[in-house]
Amino acid sequence: MDTDLRDHLEGATVLIVVHDDDQRESLRGWFVDVGASVIEARSADAAFRLARDRPDLVLLDAQLGETSTAALIDRLKSDAVTSTIPLIQRSSAPIDDGSVADGLRRGADAYLVEPVSQRVLLATADATLRTQELARRLEVALSSGDSGVFDWNIPTGVVTWNDSLERVHGMVPGEFGGTIDDFYTSVHPHDASALRARVEVSLEVDDAFVLAYRFVRAGGSIGHMESRGRIFRAPDGAPVRMLGLAQDVTNRVTQRVQIDQLRRLASQLSGLRTSAGVLEALGAELVDTNVHLDLVEAGASNADDVVFSFSVGERRLDIGWSERADGVTRRQAIAIGELAGSAIDRALRYEAERTNAEILQRALQPEYATSVGGYRFDAQYLPAERSDRLGGDFFDVLDLDDWVIITVGDVAGHGLEATRQMGAIRSMLRTVAASRRGDPAAIVAECRSLYYAVCGLDCPFSTVIVGRLDKASGRVTLVSAGHPPPLHCARGGVLSLLELVPGPPLGVVADGHTAEVELVLAPGDWLAMYTDGVFERRDMPFDEAVRKAITRLGGVPSAEGLVEAGECSSMTADDRVAVVVERTI
């Protein structure tokens, strides 16, 4: 006897149900030869009692004397204990094809008609046990992975689900109706039409398919299903069978949705710089969910549903959560709370830094005379809207008897460090201007040398423009260190950007060219100096942006009006400075 027949028979228990004693004894010897254990029964009743001890295989004779073999098969297959035991039916006498087909239809896994050799019988038994083992492994895999097998007989319309697939749908085994319409009834109503159309296309053109849709469990909850398999066709190409594996992917889809929500929320919150803005965004994100926000006093006791809390100034923000089948999970609510906590903490730090920097900025802005000897001076500083954009824009108006020295500058960078550096540079410019008696070229050259000698490349660079106004003549001498050109308007309304060749900014090199430009302000003329945040924008040239802003003003602008006119053109939310000088007489 071949040793390969021992693979599944050795150690197996075989129930032999044969009425004839000699035949039963012969069959017993065949199975014992390959290491199987044998139990025997002569009648249907005895066979059923022994079968409830769950042998590995039943070998059933087609002739059981007075008892119907068909009745025993029906009894075995309808009993929950014995229904899955593999069964081989054997006939010791000639039998018609109809009887063989009837036995297979009733549940026999194989049907053998004498004469049958020992080798063929044992090979059939071994193959039957091997198939049963594979089926059991598949059933274990499916039952542990939220999956199940479906089989659609297309010509008959019968759809078969295995027990695992029924459990996935919240049904008990045998509850599924067994038709294609019953299947579509289990699909979420919003997905049913699209799924029907997709299935029709697959039946027309596909051999393999992958379908994704939502389904409704027997209890009413909604899940996500992914089905994949093959379509079998008749010789003429007509689809006759659709066989596949359906897997409940609800957890995977839910996790993906949750991750996407957290990423979207994190991205949204990262751009907010105020605690009020963070709270507003959170409230909008959580509307109609099972998560809610409560802003309470810091010492208030926690509500029962609070899963996360953090301080907001003198108060406390609680994240409350209640369980809901299709809602946000508790873990997701906690993750949202952690994101919110980080965003609010960051916003509070930005707000504090903005407040401190703005106080320092305003404190460092100089006092100046608004009217000096026939000239009107008007300056405006507008802080950045975002604390992280608050920087080092500054101005100064210094009256030196015969001259007035006007400076406007912009320190690179943002925050408190830029503000502190701005104060140091403005003080240096004022000191040097007084010692140099207002010579713009000398002021810029000495400040460039001093700044580089003290800081080298370790300090942020700064652009600056220095103008000296001769009160008697109205002559203005201007020098730029990397700063935008001044804006000049004559009495007739002729507007121009002065062609001033800028030298290198302070902090870049120790020396550099200091080209001057001069003009004379006639009565009614005005000159404006400003920082880049007033006019710069990405979508148009600088000259055009300036002209559009000035057109909106009309007449002689105030510094505040100039800043506000340019605000809609600003490419960033940086702070802005403008100084306007008008000759009135």
Side-chain angles (χ1 to χ4, degrees):
M1 189 58 57
D2 292 343
T3 56
D4 58 355
L5 294 179
R6 293 178 175 269
D7 287 349
H8 294 86
L9 286 172
E10 187 172 17
T13 299
V14 179
L15 171 59
I16 299 177
V17 187
V18 177
H19 183 71
D20 184 273
D21 293 338
D22 292 337
Q23 292 183 23
R24 194 172 62 252
E25 185 63 28
S26 176
L27 293 170
R28 173 188 178 88
W30 290 1
F31 281 100
V32 170
D33 284 348
V34 291
S37 298
V38 176
I39 54 178
E40 303 173 35
R42 296 180 72 251
S43 67
D45 289 339
F48 183 75
R49 287 194 301 271
L50 292 172
R52 290 185 65 80
D53 292 332
R54 293 194 59 80
D56 297 299
L57 176 68
V58 174
L59 177 62
L60 177 62
D61 196 357
Q63 292 84 26
L64 286 180
E66 297 178 357
T67 306
S68 167
T69 302
L72 177 57
I73 295 176
D74 291 344
R75 191 176 179 189
L76 289 172
K77 292 302 178 181
S78 62
D79 186 273
V81 175
T82 61
S83 61
T84 59
I85 301 173
L87 187 151
I88 298 175
Q89 193 167 353
R90 166 188 170 275
S91 176
S92 57
I95 195 170
D96 61 89
D97 291 345
S99 297
V100 174
D102 183 68
L104 293 172
R105 181 182 58 78
R106 290 180 180 277
D109 295 278
Y111 204 118
L112 299 174
V113 180
E114 292 290 352
V116 178
S117 67
Q118 180 182 8
R119 180 181 179 83
V120 170
L121 174 61
L122 294 180
T124 302
D126 183 77
T128 302
L129 289 176
R130 183 168 62 251
T131 301
Q132 177 72 359
E133 181 178 340
L134 291 174
R136 286 172 178 169
R137 290 178 180 177
L138 177 61
E139 185 65 27
V140 170
L142 294 176
S143 63
S144 62
D146 292 332
S147 302
V149 174
F150 62 90
D151 187 354
W152 178 20
N153 186 319
I154 297 172
T156 66
V158 174
V159 178
T160 303
W161 286 1
N162 72 339
D163 293 351
S164 296
L165 188 54
E166 288 186 294
R167 285 192 290 270
V168 167
H169 284 78
M171 301 177 182
V172 297
E175 185 178 349
F176 176 61
T179 69
I180 192 63
D181 289 335
D182 290 321
F183 162 68
Y184 283 119
T185 299
S186 72
V187 177
H188 192 285
H190 291 172
D191 294 355
S193 296
L195 182 61
R196 281 182 184 271
R198 180 67 183 89
V199 168
E200 291 300 323
V201 171
S202 292
L203 293 178
E204 288 291 330
V205 300
D206 295 335
D207 290 326
F209 63 88
V210 178
L211 303 170
Y213 54 92
R214 288 174 294 173
F215 69 101
V216 182
R217 299 183 181 90
S221 61
I222 298 172
H224 292 263
M225 190 72 74
E226 184 177 277
S227 300
R228 59 182 65 232
R230 295 191 62 82
I231 297 172
F232 299 89
R233 301 182 181 278
D236 63 358
V240 294
R241 189 180 184 192
M242 193 176 200
L243 179 66
L245 176 72
Q247 182 177 14
D248 184 347
V249 294
T250 304
N251 289 339
R252 187 173 72 198
V253 172
T254 300
Q255 289 173 2
R256 185 170 64 242
V257 170
Q258 290 174 352
I259 290 171
D260 289 345
Q261 181 193 29
L262 289 176
R263 285 175 175 168
R264 184 181 67 254
L265 183 59
S267 175
Q268 182 181 3
L269 296 182
S270 67
L272 301 177
R273 296 296 182 266
T274 66
S275 54
V278 172
L279 292 174
E280 182 179 354
L282 284 170
E285 180 71 20
L286 300 177
V287 67
D288 295 331
T289 71
N290 54 321
V291 179
H292 62 89
L293 307 177
D294 290 311
L295 194 60
V296 300
E297 297 299 327
S301 58
N302 282 337
D304 293 339
D305 63 351
V306 171
V307 295
F308 194 86
S309 299
F310 51 89
S311 297
V312 182
E314 300 297 323
R315 309 185 77 181
R316 187 186 74 230
L317 186 67
D318 291 342
I319 303 292
W321 173 84
S322 58
E323 189 167 4
R324 196 170 78 190
D326 59 344
V328 176
T329 64
R330 188 177 190 277
R331 179 179 295 181
Q332 180 83 347
I334 293 174
I336 291 172
E338 291 171 344
L339 276 178
S342 297
I344 288 185
D345 180 67
R346 183 171 59 247
L348 289 174
R349 285 188 282 109
Y350 277 130
E351 289 172 347
E353 182 176 349
R354 173 187 172 84
T355 299
N356 293 335
E358 189 172 339
I359 290 173
L360 181 58
Q361 266 276 28
R362 293 193 181 280
L364 292 173
Q365 298 306 319
E367 296 182 358
Y368 61 94
T370 57
S371 180
V372 177
Y375 298 89
R376 179 180 67 86
F377 296 91
D378 185 23
Q380 176 70 23
Y381 165 73
L382 187 66
E385 296 174 1
R386 284 172 39 177
S387 58
D388 61 322
R389 306 299 301 180
L390 199 65
D393 289 20
F394 66 92
F395 72 93
D396 198 2
V397 179
L398 180 62
D399 189 355
L400 296 176
D401 299 329
D402 296 333
W403 303 287
V404 177
I405 307 300
I406 308 145
T407 57
V408 172
D410 183 2
V411 178
H414 303 93
L416 284 171
E417 181 57 35
T419 301
R420 286 192 290 267
Q421 200 68 26
M422 173 273 294
I425 292 175
R426 191 179 67 81
S427 297
M428 177 180 65
L429 283 164
R430 173 170 277 232
T431 300
V432 173
S435 66
R436 289 290 182 176
R437 300 302 297 166
D439 180 355
I443 294 170
V444 170
E446 186 168 338
C447 286
R448 182 183 287 124
S449 177
L450 284 172
Y451 192 64
Y452 191 84
V454 172
C455 296
L457 297 176
D458 294 331
C459 293
F461 70 85
S462 175
T463 66
V464 66
I465 186 167
V466 178
R468 180 184 65 187
L469 170 65
D470 186 319
K471 297 178 184 177
S473 64
R475 181 175 299 278
V476 180
T477 305
L478 295 156
V479 172
S480 171
H483 205 78
L487 187 63
H488 173 241
C489 187
R491 274 183 302 178
V494 179
L495 187 67
S496 62
L497 285 170
L498 296 181
E499 295 183 2
L500 177 58
V501 179
L506 307 186
V508 176
V509 293
D511 54 19
H513 71 273
T514 50
E516 294 182 342
V517 68
E518 290 188 343
L519 73 155
V520 175
L521 292 179
D525 291 359
W526 58 267
L527 178 73
M529 300 157 66
Y530 49 86
T531 53
D532 56 6
V534 174
F535 296 116
E536 270 191 340
R537 56 186 297 169
R538 293 187 178 93
D539 58 349
M540 68 175 59
F542 185 79
D543 293 11
E544 184 179 348
V546 172
R547 285 180 168 80
K548 283 195 171 185
I550 297 304
T551 300
R552 286 189 292 271
L553 286 172
V556 180
S558 64
E560 180 180 5
L562 188 66
V563 168
E564 290 179 349
E567 185 177 358
C568 62
S569 300
S570 179
M571 64 183 287
T572 67
D574 289 348
D575 45 2
R576 299 174 286 282
V577 161
V579 177
V580 176
V581 182
E582 180 193 8
R583 185 169 185 177
T584 56
I585 56 175

